[in-house]
Amino acid sequence: MNKAVRKSLIVANWKMNLNTHQASLLLHKLSEKVISHTDTQVVLCPNIMTLQPLSLQVNHRQFKLGAQNFYWRDEGAYTGEVSATMLRGLVDYVLVGHSERRNVFGEHDRDIRHKVQAAYRNGLKPILCVGETAHEKAENETHHVLHDQVVSGLLNITSGEVEDLTIAYEPVWAIGSGEAVQPADLRDAVKSIRKQIHALYGEKASKKVRVLYGGSVNSQNCESFLAVEGVDGLLVGGASLKVDEFASIVEKAHNSRKQKG
Ligand code: PGA
């Protein structure tokens, strides 16, 4: 695997936490603690309301911004929604298909594929989240689930577009549970995802796509995931709200990147 072409990516998913003042304070503290490295991109995903003020405050060379959610149509009578068109210029990345969107808000494969397309249409980089539930894991269905979520999420996406894609492998049972994946299982899952991209789009795309791990990541366990072949970074929920934890994760990602070469 040619690592050199892929920058590491550490994504902070703040979820529905922090009001504008608290988010601004966290950003301020992170900007003092998190050291920028050219080989490691850090992306912050605050709630939609705080994106605008944070985009004025943030040092764009230190952090990129991402949106946690959006609706896939560009405009129209969709009360309460925000479109990718409206996020243009404000964020570089968008999360798509997070398991909380799938499971709590009932998003289906069709919505997710429309969102991936809307992201590309509006010049935003999608981070497509995939992963099996505890039940699917128990039934040995992980590879089928990953296959189906990748194939369906990327319908009508070109190989050129896929080169800008990030896939986050987030087993549903690992999110917020304190129980993270075993490195050997992570290696199998990442291999399976890249194999799928290879089958759909060929070798170049399969080497360019970035694959992250997410689910109960903290500063103590992050190195074990980052050491796995084919893993390019992390999607961090709870631990991204703690300044020292998150700064330490970013630093360890940079060091592991140097070791992997
Ligand atoms: P967690 O969340 O790190 O709190 O498990 C990860 C995520 O949902 O992206």
Side-chain angles (χ1 to χ4, degrees):
M1 199 75 58
N2 182 5
K3 286 288 299 172
V5 293
R6 300 198 303 265
K7 242 189 197 194
S8 298
L9 195 64
I10 305 296
V11 184
N13 179 7
W14 291 354
K15 307 194 180 183
M16 198 177 72
N17 293 297
L18 312 177
N19 63 27
T20 306
H21 175 68
Q22 292 164 329
S24 164
L25 202 63
L26 180 57
L27 173 58
H28 174 72
K29 289 180 181 165
L30 287 172
S31 64
E32 290 189 331
K33 282 263 177 171
V34 174
I35 301 162
S36 316
H37 298 285
T38 48
D39 59 15
T40 308
Q41 179 84 74
V42 181
V43 180
L44 306 178
C45 303
N47 71 63
I48 203 104
M49 227 182 82
T50 61
L51 270 176
Q52 183 92 50
L54 292 200
S55 80
L56 299 174
Q57 179 187 341
V58 74
N59 172 352
H60 292 270
R61 290 173 60 184
Q62 187 178 22
F63 302 120
K64 299 289 178 208
L65 291 178
Q68 297 172 20
N69 185 39
F70 59 99
Y71 185 50
W72 56 269
R73 294 206 193 262
D74 288 341
E75 61 180 7
Y78 303 103
T79 303
E81 295 298 324
V82 168
S83 71
T85 310
M86 294 164 182
L87 293 170
R88 278 182 99 128
L90 212 51
V91 301
D92 288 290
Y93 291 86
V94 283
L95 298 181
V96 179
H98 190 282
S99 73
E100 286 151 16
R101 300 293 325 164
R102 294 181 196 256
N103 300 326
V104 183
F105 298 98
E107 283 186 14
H108 290 294
D109 289 343
R110 193 184 70 109
D111 306 298
I112 289 159
R113 119 176 23 127
H114 281 317
K115 286 184 175 201
V116 172
Q117 292 167 11
Y120 282 120
R121 189 166 69 239
N122 286 285
L124 306 175
K125 295 183 172 74
I127 300 173
L128 175 64
C129 305
V130 296
E132 81 285 0
T133 62
H135 177 73
E136 289 160 344
K137 180 178 162 65
E139 298 288 314
N140 273 326
E141 285 174 4
T142 300
H143 294 287
H144 288 294
V145 171
L146 295 179
H147 171 273
D148 290 355
Q149 290 180 345
V150 168
V151 170
S152 139
L154 299 181
L155 206 79
N156 294 333
I157 296 304
T158 67
S159 54
E161 287 170 331
V162 160
E163 292 183 8
D164 253 345
L165 177 74
T166 301
I167 296 179
Y169 170 56
E170 295 208 301
V172 179
W173 51 269
I175 295 176
S177 66
E179 189 194 342
V181 75
Q182 292 301 316
D185 292 339
L186 175 57
R187 194 186 50 232
D188 286 352
V190 171
K191 229 171 144 177
S192 158
I193 290 169
R194 284 202 193 281
K195 220 169 116 187
Q196 197 49 50
I197 298 292
H198 191 285
L200 291 170
Y201 296 101
E203 176 148 7
K204 185 163 169 240
S206 78
K207 285 187 170 171
K208 285 213 161 182
V209 162
R210 279 188 295 197
V211 182
L212 314 181
Y213 169 70
S216 295
V217 171
N218 58 44
S219 65
Q220 299 305 306
N221 63 15
C222 63
E223 284 163 306
S224 65
F225 312 129
L226 292 162
V228 171
E229 189 187 338
V231 172
D232 303 309
L234 304 164
L235 177 47
V236 188
S240 72
L241 295 166
K242 300 176 194 147
V243 178
D244 291 330
E245 269 287 289
F246 191 65
S248 163
I249 291 170
V250 172
E251 201 49 30
K252 286 178 176 175
H254 167 64
N255 291 338
S256 122
R257 167 68 193 228
K258 277 196 304 193
Q259 278 163 24
K260 270 174 152 179

